[in-house]
Amino acid sequence: MPPHPTAAASVPGGEPVAAADEESPAARRLRRLSLHLLQPSVPSAAHASSPSSSLVPAACAGRRVVEGGGDVAAALTAYLRGRHRAAQMRLYDFFCARPDLQTPVEMTTAAHRELCFRQLRALVRDAGVRPLTLMANDPAEYFAVMEAAGGADISLGVKLGVQYSLWGGSVINLGTKKHRDKYFDGIDNLDYPGCFAMTELHHGSNVQALQTTATFDPVTDEFIINTPNDGAIKWWIGNAAVHGKFATVFARLILPLQGKGGEPADMGIHAFIVPIRDLETHAVLPGIEINDCGHKIGLNGVDNGALRFRSVRIPRDNLLNRFGDVSRDGKYTSSLPTINKRFAATLGELVGGRVGIAFCSVGVLKVAVIIAVRYALLRHQFGPPKQPEISVLDYQSHQHKLMPMLASSYAFHFATVQLVDKYSEMKKTNDEDLIADVHVLSSGLKAYITSYTAKSISICREACGGHGYAAVNRFGALRNDHDIFQTFEGDNTVLLQQVAGDLLKQYQEKFKGGTLSVTWNYLRDSMGTYLSQPNPVTARWEGEDHLRDPNFQLDAFRVNKLSPQYRTSRLLHSVAARLQKHSKTLGGFGAWNRCLNHLLTLAESHIESVILAQFIESVKSCPDEKTREVLKLVCDLYALDRIWKDIGTYRNVDYVAPNKAKAIHKLTDYLSYQVRLVAKELVDAFDLPDLIIRAPIGMQSEAYAQYTQYVGF
Ligand SMILES: Cc1cc2nc3c(=O)[nH]c(=O)nc-3n(C[C@H](O)[C@H](O)[C@H](O)COP(=O)(O)OP(=O)(O)OC[C@H]3O[C@@H](n4cnc5c(N)ncnc54)[C@H](O)[C@@H]3O)c2cc1C
């Protein structure tokens, strides 16, 4: 739709701006509105003692420049920059120097798939990156490379993830030395493009219900891979439609004659390497049928396919046998005693894929926020009578949309850096506590962050008005490509239940005298107070120092959201009681379902508190005072915005009295306003080159000029 001819000259109520000079009610309203914009109210006693008082603005936000803004951005960049920033910059430079590898705004599915494969091959063969080696030796660098590849094109990041986290990861983590020796180099240098074939038409989340079979044939010393019915067709398999030559196929391992009464024995889900295309001719191998899952609503650079196996024979050696093996005479051995334990160990080894998705989702959020904030600073609409128009980021509503999101991108940055560090440590030490910790943390962060990013991209699009709708400005692709992050590598709703389940397990162990694992230590501290009541005195405290005190913020985050009592420990107590009560009539499964929303909220609020705790730690550890001051401001906004969003819960349990609720609201608006003053520095600090941002409206300079040039002027 073309813009309405009067739109540019009208205020939201429809009054022409020119009329603002006159003493009409509309003019008075407009003037008052302008005053609000220019002199935002601040909470009482906010400034003098504020740790951020050096950021207090001059009179007109629209033309304000932060003193030493460039230094602030540079210092922030230095702090944010991980150990592997140099590797990321090399990749950015590589893609920037190769126009032939840049993804155009419009292209067919077939062309996008070919480009994506060329991009991956160039990254490996021309840029000399060896992702599987990185994953094995330094996972943090591997994730940094994956994020940078996703910056070039999210399809590329996912294609890389399929090849290395999934196909490569399954071979090196579920297989043994013989598999490494045979496949490692070919996977690393992309001679062996491969797939990870777990999902079937009828089963995605419920992996234990997969139906594909791998039956041992003792005569030929082979496994026979078979798709027993249409529901067992492997579906959505990345790299399968066009490029893959191998697949790790998840199937039930069947041993003939070894069950009760000579029946076949089902040993549960195992992983097998199955060649699917000829290494030389690329022809699909006999007994395998591959069809294309077709055009998707995003990620069209990745070729997802469906696979059916008709009694395909593979050597016994192709069983990835780290957790279970079959001998030449058909005997099964495993160090793990039950099917459930083997299954948990198998899936546990695949946690790296989830870590990568959480990490890359933050990268996508940063790109969306950078574009939206830069555009909001550039875009001027309306203003006080006879004065220049102001930037749309000076509207309180715009700050409300974008500043908490900017704060969240910082919070998630620190949380996922910590996750990657823990993952790397886990791979080195195989420490059992750490394994459990990383499993739950990666599930929770992946679910929480990808859901948040998916919603935020739409808000960023809207915040850029009509120009946010131009494909070249990227929100459509970001939204569509990222959307599936909520589903693959574990559906978010299913993953959050794992977090809740783990919290319950920790809680029960506590009461049985067991120890709590590292991340959940705070439960131990709060356990002693789970029966106490909110403090009626602190419930009324509203001073800025108190509201910006990390102790208050952390304590508040740990308030449970649904129970009439408070604190996570209290919620756990009530959920455990509810589960026990309902299980008597409904059984364990029915009781869990009866409490499901409660459990999901528990998991989310727990993850929020983990994110906040890490953010507070990262602020404390920042060595540069000025940078620490800025980060503290951002962290306070993150914390108070989350508390405000859930204020009903806090009010319901009288954790927060009405006066305190008002003070939190007012301070949140004020902090959004203060963060706005350093918004440019905060997005610049992410240090993403223009050629990676690509959206003309998100460029660091000359944005309008680049945009007009793009459309042909
Ligand atoms: C683009 C793309 C690429 C993919 N790549 C691969 C790949 O390379 N290899 C591979 O093996 N798979 C791949 N997948 C499959 C993906 O991993 C699955 O889609 C995912 O695991 C979810 O499974 P599902 O689709 O069966 O969803 P379902 O499990 O059927 O979920 C459907 C809905 O039911 C809800 N639900 C399900 N169970 C529960 C529960 N217990 N409690 C509450 N709600 C529940 C979910 O929240 C969801 O909203 C890919 C999928 C896509 C779309």
Side-chain angles (χ1 to χ4, degrees), residues 439-454:
H439 171 67
V440 179
L441 201 56
S442 63
S443 300
L445 287 175
K446 185 270 185 190
Y448 189 86
I449 292 172
T450 58
S451 292
Y452 185 92
T453 298

Side-chain angles (χ1 to χ4, degrees), residues 196 198-199 204-205 236-238 304 484 487-488 491 493-494 497:
F196 177 89
M198 181 180 268
T199 304
S205 302
W236 281 131
I237 309 309
N304 292 93
I484 195 65
T487 301
F488 60 26
D491 171 85
T493 306
V494 174
Q497 291 179 59

Side-chain angles (χ1 to χ4, degrees), residues 158 162 166 195-207 234-239 250 296 298-299 302 304 484 487-494 497 589 592-593 596 600:
V158 171
V162 169
L166 298 182
C195 319
F196 177 89
M198 181 180 268
T199 304
E200 296 176 355
L201 175 61
H202 282 186
H203 292 99
S205 302
N206 189 2
V207 178
K234 294 291 177 185
W235 209 276
W236 281 131
I237 309 309
N239 255 353
F250 289 80
K296 305 185 289 288
L299 282 187
V302 183
N304 292 93
I484 195 65
T487 301
F488 60 26
E489 288 293 342
D491 171 85
N492 284 355
T493 306
V494 174
Q497 291 179 59
F589 186 84
W592 185 268
N593 198 15
L596 192 48
L600 294 176

